Amino acid sequence: MKKKIWIFLLTLVLACSLGGCGIKDMIPGLKQASNPDEENQIGRYEGYAIDILGWEPINEVYGEGDNYLELKKSGKGTICLDGDSINLTWEDKGDHILQFKIEGQMCEAKLLDNVIYLEFFGFSMTFVKEGTEAPGMDKLLDSKGLDVIDDILEGAEGVAGSSKLEQLSELNEEAKDLGMKGSSEGTAKEESEKKSGDAAENTAAEDAKQPDEEAESAEAAVYDADFWRGDWYGWVAYADASSDNSDWIDNCWDACGQLTVNADGTGSFMIWDSDTDEDKYTCLVDVRFNSGRSGKGSMRSVSGSMLDGKVGKNAWTVDPADSEVSAIPNMIMIKGRYVSPSDSNSWIEYIYYLRPWGTDWSDIAGIDTSGMTYPDMMPTHYEDWYKPLLDKGVTKMPNSWQEGERMLAAN
């Protein structure tokens, strides 16, 4: 797990241990409302803003992967920072107070108007429920300190001057610096000591290699346009879903896509599958290419659609050298979530596994796939659709599944 999430957990653990203070103690003036039921609480909450030394968009601090907090049924959940996720358990304590157990530590948060507020003295994070808007949240990005949270939460009292705040403020300053240069384990004191000498030099060199999408210009980005550009084939699976869509879980279809790459580092990806009507598509997403963990680079979504739902900025984070399928040559994995535009509690998690059109997938048999979400990585219709098309000399992907079937039927 990357160092940044451990710094977050270290801060969180110390915040919980310094007097056992919860969010009720910190913001006693918080306006109360009727509790939402579990069906309204569960869902995915996208990381929005973070306050370490002042409010800023969370993707500017943790910009290399997904940032979200997901509440699932039966008190289970996941928190993910910079693409590194860990499991948690949660419980509704009433008055919109949620109690979390993360890495063995009990902490509290506030859920109000589809926004989860994690407030731990000098360290604050907000997560906004997918498919909803948070009233007043934009004020966080132009302000400093907890006074803005006070305004948003209507009457919350600040904790400035608290000796516990002062202790954590010192830690947060150190953690902010360690987020750029520190190592991945140990206490705050140990982290500080490791900033000197070879350990600091090694970790600084490692971080220097990490892509920063916001700071990196199109000219500076390093990626292989020829790798990304062109036709793709593979399959898509629905890995998880809300209760109303549970029948879709683990259903899969063969999928094809056409990816364009422009000179300015932008592009678009149109994807359809074996169940898509002719002249239709499943996904149409504008993308941007950037540096990654190999010379191939990486791809992120900018905006677009999946079915009738939205694909937002960085909802797709794709790096062929940094995924669970990196052992499979030239495979990209696109993981995303469809959310019904009419019901934010209705969702489906999908995963695309794609390789360039023309790739021989027989090498899968010699690759250890046991640790992947789906150990059987072969597309369903590889033998009766894709391979026969290649055998017929079809070097360009058909425009639809139906067109491919007509090609196969032709003499």
Side-chain angles (χ1 to χ4, degrees):
M1 186 173 291
K2 298 176 185 174
K3 55 185 154 295
K4 291 180 181 177
I5 193 168
W6 282 110
I7 292 169
F8 162 70
L9 289 173
L10 174 64
T11 307
L12 183 124
V13 166
L14 290 180
C16 293
S17 63
L18 290 174
C21 187
I23 199 148
K24 285 182 178 178
D25 303 303
M26 292 186 293
I27 45 176
L30 188 62
K31 182 179 179 180
Q32 305 297 324
S34 60
N35 294 329
D37 57 26
E38 183 185 71
E39 190 65 27
N40 289 330
Q41 291 172 325
I42 62 174
R44 176 166 165 140
Y45 295 76
E46 297 293 340
Y48 185 76
I50 185 170
D51 178 15
I52 298 179
L53 298 176
W55 285 105
E56 54 188 318
I58 195 169
N59 288 337
E60 291 187 2
V61 178
Y62 301 112
E64 298 170 17
D66 292 340
N67 300 294
Y68 65 86
L69 178 64
E70 183 172 7
L71 304 184
K72 301 179 181 179
K73 286 190 173 182
S74 303
K76 298 180 180 180
T78 302
I79 187 170
C80 181
L81 290 177
D82 237 10
D84 288 317
S85 61
I86 56 174
N87 294 327
L88 59 84
T89 58
W90 65 280
E91 181 181 356
D92 180 6
K93 305 300 289 186
D95 293 334
H96 289 279
I97 299 295
L98 302 181
Q99 185 178 75
F100 292 92
K101 185 176 183 180
I102 307 173
E103 295 289 286
Q105 298 295 322
M106 305 298 294
C107 301
E108 289 184 345
K110 191 76 177 180
L111 172 57
L112 186 69
D113 294 332
N114 297 312
V115 181
I116 291 179
Y117 299 88
L118 287 177
E119 268 288 342
F120 299 108
F121 297 99
F123 187 87
S124 311
M125 300 178 73
T126 56
F127 297 83
V128 181
K129 193 168 188 180
E130 196 170 46
T132 67
E133 295 184 2
M137 286 294 292
D138 58 329
K139 292 193 292 184
L140 289 175
L141 305 183
D142 299 319
S143 307
K144 303 289 183 181
L146 297 177
D147 56 320
V148 181
I149 284 283
D150 298 344
D151 294 337
I152 292 175
L153 299 186
E154 301 182 26
E157 297 178 2
V159 293
S162 165
S163 60
K164 298 173 185 176
L165 173 61
E166 292 170 0
Q167 294 176 56
L168 271 182
S169 294
E170 294 177 3
L171 173 62
N172 285 334
E173 291 178 6
E174 193 168 322
K176 179 73 172 180
D177 185 54
L178 290 174
M180 298 295 179
K181 296 182 288 187
S183 61
S184 60
E185 297 178 351
T187 63
K189 180 179 179 180
E190 291 170 340
E191 296 283 11
S192 179
E193 293 171 348
K194 289 180 181 178
K195 286 190 291 182
S196 61
D198 293 340
E201 292 178 4
N202 291 339
T203 52
E206 177 186 345
D207 282 341
K209 299 177 182 178
Q210 305 299 325
D212 185 340
E213 183 187 24
E214 299 299 330
E216 191 171 37
S217 67
E219 292 78 9
V222 178
Y223 59 92
D224 185 351
D226 290 334
F227 168 75
W228 297 97
R229 182 187 291 111
D231 299 336
W232 294 78
Y233 167 77
W235 57 289
V236 58
Y238 287 173
D240 198 6
S242 54
S243 57
D244 59 315
N245 294 313
S246 59
D247 290 344
W248 291 98
I249 295 177
D250 291 334
N251 280 297
C252 59
W253 299 265
D254 286 34
C256 291
Q258 187 175 58
L259 180 53
T260 63
V261 181
N262 304 319
D264 63 354
T266 63
S268 63
F269 210 167
M270 182 178 70
I271 303 175
W272 48 264
D273 59 51
S274 53
D275 196 46
T276 306
D277 292 337
E278 194 162 10
D279 298 325
K280 302 291 184 181
Y281 54 81
T282 305
C283 295
L284 183 59
V285 179
D286 291 330
V287 297
R288 175 171 289 280
F289 302 95
N290 218 316
S291 301
R293 296 187 180 276
S294 73
K296 291 183 175 69
S298 63
M299 178 183 74
R300 292 173 182 259
S301 59
V302 177
S303 64
S305 63
M306 195 283 185
L307 299 174
D308 60 345
K310 293 182 178 180
V311 176
K313 183 179 180 181
N314 297 333
W316 289 4
T317 303
V318 185
D319 188 334
D322 187 20
S323 79
E324 68 175 46
V325 298
S326 295
I328 301 177
N330 296 327
M331 176 174 279
I332 61 173
M333 183 179 79
I334 303 174
K335 188 174 183 180
R337 173 177 288 221
Y338 163 82
V339 177
S340 170
S342 60
D343 182 2
S344 62
N345 293 310
S346 181
W347 53 269
I348 296 174
E349 286 188 355
Y350 56 89
I351 308 176
Y352 283 95
Y353 301 99
L354 302 170
R355 304 177 84 179
W357 179 270
T359 301
D360 182 352
W361 287 54
S362 61
D363 60 342
I364 297 290
I367 299 174
D368 182 9
T369 60
S370 59
M372 300 177 187
T373 302
Y374 294 99
D376 182 0
M377 292 300 297
M378 294 298 292
T380 302
H381 295 287
Y382 178 83
E383 294 291 344
D384 60 40
W385 190 84
Y386 176 74
K387 189 173 183 297
L389 286 172
L390 296 188
D391 292 342
K392 287 177 69 73
V394 178
T395 59
K396 181 175 174 55
M397 180 190 75
N399 291 319
S400 69
W401 189 263
Q402 296 82 357
E403 182 180 1
E405 291 181 326
R406 290 194 294 269
M407 290 179 177
L408 292 174
N411 294 327

